[in-house]
Amino acid sequence: MKFLVVLTIFLYFGTISSSRPKPYKAIFNFGDSLSDTGNLLLSGALTFPAIGNLPYGETFFRRPTGRCSDGRLVIDFIAEAFGLPYLPPYLSLHEKGKYYQGVNFAVAGATALDSKFFYQQKIGSLLSTNDSLSVQLDWFKKFKSSLCNSNKQDCENYFKRSLFLVGEIGGNDYNYPFFVGGTIQQLKAVVPLVVEAITNATSALIEEGAVELVVPGNLPIGCSALYLTLFQTPNEENYDPRNGCLKAFNSFSKYHNEQLKLALERLRLKYPHARIIYADYYTSAMRFINTPLKYGFYNGTLGACCGGGGPYNFNNSARCGHVGSSVCKDPGSSANWDGVHLTEAAYRIIAKGLINGHFTTPPLKHHIL
């Protein structure tokens, strides 16, 4: 009898939970390789794209999808949490005027600043794509115009009930100059330009009808296997004793994030009707970087799971997916995937922190985990 009562209660509440309306009708994402679900691959910008082959995608999808990881990204976990399908890359869409439950405009290698800026700095040849944040915004406007010609009211309601993610983006704006000898002091002068590009895009989306927007900050680049390899030094004072990360580069990431938060505060005053949410990727990631064993990263957080050797298993001449590289047996026990990007296991932890509201300011309105 007790079993039947418990079962009845379980079924009753289960029915309520499953029939609960979804908080968002759709998710729209803009950014770079941290959230690209296939646009760079579909663009044909790369002649021999490693992300188009295994081991990329091996953990969850069991095939390469154009994601720069072994499996799912933060954006995938967010879609799952809100009961929405994985976001299709914009360049894969075939039906114009269709109300999709999400579209991903992010492109791996994308910058917040237009490519023109980098060509003016004589480093434009380093860019893996010209599909910057403003290009992605243009794609969104084309997508929107194909929807809103017939019924503007339905279109407005659709976007009001959608979640927009503007990034993470901006990391590549610093990566390209850093990799050719740019100094931290020189790159600090670029931060206001990058932050302005991000906030301008956020503002433009609000003008287009977005109401709830998440704007993530940058990850701690001083903990990246790529940075640790390129900028390694015998000077132990340059490393954080708690985790082995490069202190100066992490301080730079924090500087960018602080400037971005200040700019978002000003944007909230301009658009009081919108919920502009800052997502703290940096602090969320530092949890498992500082205490890897607590989060199951028994192979560490700094060395790449997939790479071509070296102190951090990152070798630019034998990068993940290229000849001379190999992949670890259990990507889930590593936080770093290929020296630049994280594993699905690490992205899951970051995403859960955002969805639960611990690392979003203000918290996501409809957190459900």
Side-chain angles (χ1 to χ4, degrees):
M1 185 66 180
K2 284 184 178 179
F3 173 77
L4 289 175
V5 172
V6 171
L7 180 61
T8 302
I9 292 172
F10 173 79
L11 291 174
Y12 175 73
F13 283 105
T15 304
I16 290 175
S17 176
S18 62
S19 63
R20 181 173 55 186
K22 295 174 183 176
Y24 302 111
K25 288 184 176 293
I27 298 175
F28 298 99
N29 182 73
F30 305 79
D32 55 25
S33 59
L34 297 191
S35 60
D36 182 5
T37 55
N39 281 316
L40 180 66
L41 197 61
L42 291 167
S43 73
L46 300 179
T47 308
F48 302 106
I51 59 173
N53 301 292
L54 291 170
Y56 284 89
E58 70 171 24
T59 295
F60 180 79
F61 299 100
R62 309 296 180 190
R63 60 181 177 84
T65 62
R67 289 169 173 80
C68 297
S69 184
D70 62 308
R72 289 164 290 182
L73 311 175
V74 170
I75 188 63
D76 296 312
F77 289 113
I78 290 175
E80 284 182 6
F82 293 119
L84 294 169
Y86 299 130
L87 277 60
Y90 171 75
L91 295 179
S92 72
L93 304 185
H94 301 296
E95 294 184 57
K96 290 186 176 180
K98 179 181 176 181
Y99 281 89
Y100 290 89
Q101 289 183 281
V103 180
N104 196 339
F105 301 93
V107 183
T111 53
L113 297 172
D114 288 339
S115 59
K116 180 182 177 181
F117 172 84
F118 300 95
Y119 282 100
Q120 289 173 342
Q121 304 299 315
K122 311 299 183 186
I123 56 173
S125 60
L126 298 177
L127 299 179
S128 56
T129 179
N130 290 326
D131 296 328
S132 64
L133 185 54
S134 67
V135 173
Q136 296 173 31
L137 192 59
D138 286 341
W139 288 350
F140 171 76
K141 290 176 180 178
K142 289 177 183 177
F143 170 79
K144 181 187 173 186
S145 66
S146 70
L147 285 179
C148 297
N149 285 335
S150 55
N151 193 323
K152 287 191 175 182
Q153 188 60 49
D154 284 351
C155 190
E156 286 179 9
N157 292 334
Y158 171 61
F159 290 120
K160 282 180 181 178
R161 287 286 309 279
S162 297
L163 179 65
F164 290 75
L165 285 94
V166 190
E168 182 274 340
I169 196 162
N172 290 320
D173 296 74
Y174 310 128
N175 289 341
Y176 294 123
F178 271 139
F179 298 161
V180 291
T183 67
I184 288 177
Q185 200 58 41
Q186 288 171 333
L187 269 294
K188 272 193 171 183
V190 180
V191 170
L193 301 177
V194 174
V195 167
E196 183 181 28
I198 296 170
T199 54
N200 283 348
T202 305
S203 177
L205 288 169
I206 295 171
E207 296 289 347
E208 293 289 336
V211 173
E212 189 149 348
L213 308 95
V214 175
V215 186
N218 284 350
L219 287 166
I221 59 174
C223 303
S224 159
L226 172 56
Y227 275 79
L228 286 163
T229 300
L230 291 181
F231 302 105
Q232 60 185 312
T233 170
N235 189 348
E236 293 185 4
E237 292 184 359
N238 289 356
Y239 296 90
D240 189 329
R242 295 171 298 176
N243 47 47
C245 301
L246 288 163
K247 292 189 291 185
F249 286 103
N250 275 359
S251 293
F252 178 82
S253 293
K254 287 194 283 188
Y255 177 74
H256 164 91
N257 293 342
E258 288 300 324
Q259 297 306 305
L260 179 60
K261 285 190 281 186
L262 290 172
L264 294 180
E265 283 291 345
R266 293 190 290 271
L267 213 57
R268 291 184 186 108
L269 294 175
K270 184 178 180 181
Y271 299 105
H273 72 285
R275 297 191 82 246
I276 303 171
I277 301 164
Y278 173 73
D280 190 355
Y281 278 29
Y282 185 101
T283 307
S284 188
M286 287 306 294
R287 290 179 298 161
F288 57 76
I289 291 171
N290 285 330
T291 56
L293 297 181
K294 179 181 177 180
Y295 293 91
F297 294 124
Y298 302 107
N299 287 334
T301 57
L302 303 185
C305 165
C306 181
Y312 301 97
N313 197 31
F314 180 84
N315 183 341
N316 208 33
S317 61
R319 297 179 71 158
C320 182
H322 290 88
V323 175
S325 68
S326 60
V327 62
C328 64
K329 290 183 179 179
D330 179 17
S333 63
S334 297
N336 194 300
W337 167 241
D338 59 5
V340 182
H341 310 98
L342 303 181
T343 58
E344 174 182 283
Y347 285 134
R348 182 199 300 271
I349 293 168
I350 293 173
K352 190 171 182 179
L354 303 182
I355 296 160
N356 284 335
H358 300 310
F359 297 96
T360 49
T361 309
L364 272 169
K365 188 176 181 181
H366 305 287
H367 63 86
I368 60 173
L369 284 188

